[in-house]
Amino acid sequence: MKKISVVIAHRHATSISLEEEFYVELCKLATEQNTTIKQLITDIDKTRTIPNLSSALRLYVLNKLLEKLQQQ
């Protein structure tokens, strides 16, 4: 489990816990979207509907990977 401290929305410090595999995929998605990992986390935080940010990040990664599979 990787614990990451981030500042979201340039003002709110928080920490997230993600398995290494989810963190690696999240970083890849940020690169693909031409953004930083912090900005991607901020964007996900703004639109999440579940209270736990770490869970929201995992679901984001899962959904993006599923979208890629469906496009094949």
Side-chain angles (χ1 to χ4, degrees), residues 65-72:
L65 292 175
L66 288 172
E67 285 177 17
K68 287 181 181 182
L69 282 174
Q70 291 174 349
Q71 293 174 356
Q72 293 181 353

Side-chain angles (χ1 to χ4, degrees), residues 20-37:
E20 183 72 25
E21 295 84 356
F22 279 103
Y23 183 73
V24 167
E25 289 303 319
L26 193 63
C27 290
K28 286 180 186 177
L29 290 168
T31 299
E32 289 173 9
Q33 295 175 31
N34 199 31
T35 191
T36 65
I37 187 73

Side-chain angles (χ1 to χ4, degrees), residues 5-15 38-39 41-48 53:
S5 296
V6 293
V7 176
I8 53 176
H10 303 290
R11 59 180 161 70
H12 178 70
T14 191
S15 64
K38 289 180 182 182
Q39 186 58 52
I41 292 170
T42 296
D43 293 343
I44 295 166
D45 181 56
K46 287 180 188 175
T47 60
R48 68 183 161 120
L53 179 56

